mmCIF file of all heavy atoms in Angstrom:
data_model
loop_
_atom_site.group_PDB
_atom_site.id
_atom_site.type_symbol
_atom_site.label_atom_id
_atom_site.label_comp_id
_atom_site.label_asym_id
_atom_site.label_seq_id
_atom_site.Cartn_x
_atom_site.Cartn_y
_atom_site.Cartn_z
ATOM 1 N N MET B 257 -15.572 -15.953 -21.375
ATOM 2 C CA MET B 257 -15.352 -16.150 -19.943
ATOM 3 C C MET B 257 -15.544 -17.617 -19.618
ATOM 4 O O MET B 257 -16.478 -18.250 -20.118
ATOM 5 C CB MET B 257 -16.387 -15.336 -19.135
ATOM 6 C CG MET B 257 -16.232 -13.827 -19.251
ATOM 7 S SD MET B 257 -17.654 -12.928 -18.551
ATOM 8 C CE MET B 257 -17.554 -13.414 -16.843
ATOM 9 N N THR B 258 -14.661 -18.124 -18.755
ATOM 10 C CA THR B 258 -14.892 -19.472 -18.247
ATOM 11 C C THR B 258 -14.826 -19.429 -16.727
ATOM 12 O O THR B 258 -14.149 -18.579 -16.152
ATOM 13 C CB THR B 258 -13.847 -20.488 -18.755
ATOM 14 O OG1 THR B 258 -12.562 -20.123 -18.228
ATOM 15 C CG2 THR B 258 -13.753 -20.501 -20.272
ATOM 16 N N SER B 259 -15.537 -20.340 -16.108
ATOM 17 C CA SER B 259 -15.507 -20.438 -14.650
ATOM 18 C C SER B 259 -16.116 -21.769 -14.266
ATOM 19 O O SER B 259 -16.768 -22.427 -15.090
ATOM 20 C CB SER B 259 -16.316 -19.299 -14.024
ATOM 21 O OG SER B 259 -17.677 -19.415 -14.402
ATOM 22 N N THR B 260 -15.878 -22.164 -13.027
ATOM 23 C CA THR B 260 -16.524 -23.369 -12.506
ATOM 24 C C THR B 260 -17.166 -23.015 -11.171
ATOM 25 O O THR B 260 -16.721 -22.092 -10.488
ATOM 26 C CB THR B 260 -15.514 -24.504 -12.281
ATOM 27 O OG1 THR B 260 -14.498 -24.042 -11.381
ATOM 28 C CG2 THR B 260 -14.863 -24.938 -13.588
ATOM 29 N N LEU B 261 -18.211 -23.744 -10.848
ATOM 30 C CA LEU B 261 -18.899 -23.502 -9.578
ATOM 31 C C LEU B 261 -19.260 -24.847 -8.944
ATOM 32 O O LEU B 261 -19.911 -25.674 -9.567
ATOM 33 C CB LEU B 261 -20.169 -22.676 -9.827
ATOM 34 C CG LEU B 261 -21.060 -22.367 -8.615
ATOM 35 C CD1 LEU B 261 -20.327 -21.547 -7.558
ATOM 36 C CD2 LEU B 261 -22.324 -21.635 -9.053
ATOM 37 N N ASP B 262 -18.766 -25.070 -7.739
ATOM 38 C CA ASP B 262 -19.223 -26.223 -6.961
ATOM 39 C C ASP B 262 -19.279 -25.804 -5.494
ATOM 40 O O ASP B 262 -19.269 -24.596 -5.214
ATOM 41 C CB ASP B 262 -18.316 -27.455 -7.195
ATOM 42 C CG ASP B 262 -16.859 -27.185 -6.893
ATOM 43 O OD1 ASP B 262 -16.542 -26.106 -6.357
ATOM 44 O OD2 ASP B 262 -16.007 -28.043 -7.176
ATOM 45 N N THR B 263 -19.356 -26.747 -4.597
ATOM 46 C CA THR B 263 -19.366 -26.366 -3.177
ATOM 47 C C THR B 263 -18.228 -27.067 -2.454
ATOM 48 O O THR B 263 -17.743 -28.123 -2.890
ATOM 49 C CB THR B 263 -20.695 -26.728 -2.486
ATOM 50 O OG1 THR B 263 -20.912 -28.128 -2.650
ATOM 51 C CG2 THR B 263 -21.864 -25.959 -3.060
ATOM 52 N N LYS B 264 -17.771 -26.446 -1.393
ATOM 53 C CA LYS B 264 -16.706 -26.990 -0.548
ATOM 54 C C LYS B 264 -17.102 -26.781 0.912
ATOM 55 O O LYS B 264 -18.082 -26.097 1.203
ATOM 56 C CB LYS B 264 -15.386 -26.256 -0.814
ATOM 57 C CG LYS B 264 -14.849 -26.406 -2.218
ATOM 58 C CD LYS B 264 -14.001 -27.654 -2.359
ATOM 59 C CE LYS B 264 -13.514 -27.773 -3.789
ATOM 60 N NZ LYS B 264 -12.832 -29.027 -4.045
ATOM 61 N N ILE B 265 -16.304 -27.330 1.778
ATOM 62 C CA ILE B 265 -16.506 -27.092 3.207
ATOM 63 C C ILE B 265 -15.534 -26.014 3.664
ATOM 64 O O ILE B 265 -14.337 -26.067 3.358
ATOM 65 C CB ILE B 265 -16.269 -28.389 4.020
ATOM 66 C CG1 ILE B 265 -17.268 -29.473 3.607
ATOM 67 C CG2 ILE B 265 -16.348 -28.113 5.527
ATOM 68 C CD1 ILE B 265 -18.734 -29.110 3.834
ATOM 69 N N SER B 266 -16.046 -25.012 4.353
ATOM 70 C CA SER B 266 -15.173 -24.026 4.976
ATOM 71 C C SER B 266 -15.570 -23.901 6.444
ATOM 72 O O SER B 266 -16.398 -24.690 6.934
ATOM 73 C CB SER B 266 -15.260 -22.682 4.254
ATOM 74 O OG SER B 266 -14.303 -21.791 4.816
ATOM 75 N N ARG B 267 -14.983 -22.930 7.126
ATOM 76 C CA ARG B 267 -15.187 -22.840 8.583
ATOM 77 C C ARG B 267 -15.257 -21.399 9.060
ATOM 78 O O ARG B 267 -14.433 -20.568 8.677
ATOM 79 C CB ARG B 267 -14.011 -23.512 9.310
ATOM 80 C CG ARG B 267 -13.896 -24.997 9.095
ATOM 81 C CD ARG B 267 -12.508 -25.493 9.499
ATOM 82 N NE ARG B 267 -11.489 -25.105 8.529
ATOM 83 C CZ ARG B 267 -10.167 -25.182 8.739
ATOM 84 N NH1 ARG B 267 -9.703 -25.597 9.909
ATOM 85 N NH2 ARG B 267 -9.327 -24.819 7.792
ATOM 86 N N ASN B 268 -16.227 -21.108 9.934
ATOM 87 C CA ASN B 268 -16.140 -19.920 10.780
ATOM 88 C C ASN B 268 -15.195 -20.262 11.927
ATOM 89 O O ASN B 268 -15.147 -21.418 12.374
ATOM 90 C CB ASN B 268 -17.509 -19.568 11.386
ATOM 91 C CG ASN B 268 -18.427 -18.895 10.388
ATOM 92 O OD1 ASN B 268 -17.984 -18.165 9.514
ATOM 93 N ND2 ASN B 268 -19.728 -19.141 10.535
ATOM 94 N N THR B 269 -14.465 -19.255 12.403
ATOM 95 C CA THR B 269 -13.540 -19.480 13.513
ATOM 96 C C THR B 269 -13.939 -18.575 14.673
ATOM 97 O O THR B 269 -14.117 -17.365 14.489
ATOM 98 C CB THR B 269 -12.097 -19.163 13.061
ATOM 99 O OG1 THR B 269 -11.831 -19.893 11.865
ATOM 100 C CG2 THR B 269 -11.093 -19.558 14.140
ATOM 101 N N LEU B 270 -14.091 -19.190 15.845
ATOM 102 C CA LEU B 270 -14.527 -18.454 17.039
ATOM 103 C C LEU B 270 -13.409 -18.527 18.074
ATOM 104 O O LEU B 270 -13.041 -19.624 18.517
ATOM 105 C CB LEU B 270 -15.787 -19.107 17.639
ATOM 106 C CG LEU B 270 -17.147 -18.943 16.961
ATOM 107 C CD1 LEU B 270 -17.127 -19.174 15.471
ATOM 108 C CD2 LEU B 270 -18.177 -19.876 17.631
ATOM 109 N N VAL B 271 -12.862 -17.374 18.426
ATOM 110 C CA VAL B 271 -11.772 -17.316 19.405
ATOM 111 C C VAL B 271 -12.306 -16.634 20.654
ATOM 112 O O VAL B 271 -12.725 -15.478 20.600
ATOM 113 C CB VAL B 271 -10.593 -16.497 18.843
ATOM 114 C CG1 VAL B 271 -9.516 -16.302 19.915
ATOM 115 C CG2 VAL B 271 -10.011 -17.150 17.596
ATOM 116 N N ASP B 272 -12.292 -17.340 21.787
ATOM 117 C CA ASP B 272 -12.873 -16.768 23.014
ATOM 118 C C ASP B 272 -11.812 -16.400 24.046
ATOM 119 O O ASP B 272 -10.944 -17.217 24.369
ATOM 120 C CB ASP B 272 -13.850 -17.764 23.658
ATOM 121 C CG ASP B 272 -15.181 -17.817 22.919
ATOM 122 O OD1 ASP B 272 -15.328 -17.094 21.914
ATOM 123 O OD2 ASP B 272 -16.063 -18.600 23.345
ATOM 124 N N LEU B 273 -11.916 -15.186 24.533
ATOM 125 C CA LEU B 273 -11.186 -14.801 25.745
ATOM 126 C C LEU B 273 -12.256 -14.799 26.831
ATOM 127 O O LEU B 273 -13.075 -13.871 26.907
ATOM 128 C CB LEU B 273 -10.545 -13.423 25.578
ATOM 129 C CG LEU B 273 -9.682 -12.952 26.755
ATOM 130 C CD1 LEU B 273 -8.375 -13.734 26.819
ATOM 131 C CD2 LEU B 273 -9.386 -11.454 26.642
ATOM 132 N N LYS B 274 -12.273 -15.876 27.621
ATOM 133 C CA LYS B 274 -13.392 -16.113 28.533
ATOM 134 C C LYS B 274 -13.529 -14.990 29.558
ATOM 135 O O LYS B 274 -12.542 -14.564 30.168
ATOM 136 C CB LYS B 274 -13.195 -17.443 29.273
ATOM 137 C CG LYS B 274 -13.347 -18.660 28.373
ATOM 138 C CD LYS B 274 -14.806 -18.877 27.897
ATOM 139 C CE LYS B 274 -14.890 -20.148 27.039
ATOM 140 N NZ LYS B 274 -16.060 -20.148 26.160
ATOM 141 N N GLY B 275 -14.750 -14.563 29.744
ATOM 142 C CA GLY B 275 -15.032 -13.486 30.692
ATOM 143 C C GLY B 275 -14.813 -13.926 32.134
ATOM 144 O O GLY B 275 -14.943 -15.114 32.464
ATOM 145 N N SER B 276 -14.485 -12.981 32.995
ATOM 146 C CA SER B 276 -14.182 -13.292 34.398
ATOM 147 C C SER B 276 -15.439 -13.343 35.272
ATOM 148 O O SER B 276 -15.430 -13.947 36.342
ATOM 149 C CB SER B 276 -13.228 -12.238 34.955
ATOM 150 O OG SER B 276 -13.817 -10.954 34.823
ATOM 151 N N GLY B 277 -16.517 -12.722 34.796
ATOM 152 C CA GLY B 277 -17.719 -12.665 35.616
ATOM 153 C C GLY B 277 -18.882 -13.423 34.996
ATOM 154 O O GLY B 277 -19.484 -14.301 35.612
#
Side-chain angles (χ1 to χ4, degrees):
Chain B
M257 293 169 63
T258 65
S259 63
T260 57
L261 178 61
D262 56 8
T263 57
K264 297 273 179 187
I265 298 299
S266 185
R267 294 163 286 167
N268 283 327
T269 308
L270 286 47
V271 174
D272 284 1
L273 184 72
K274 290 291 182 202
S276 58

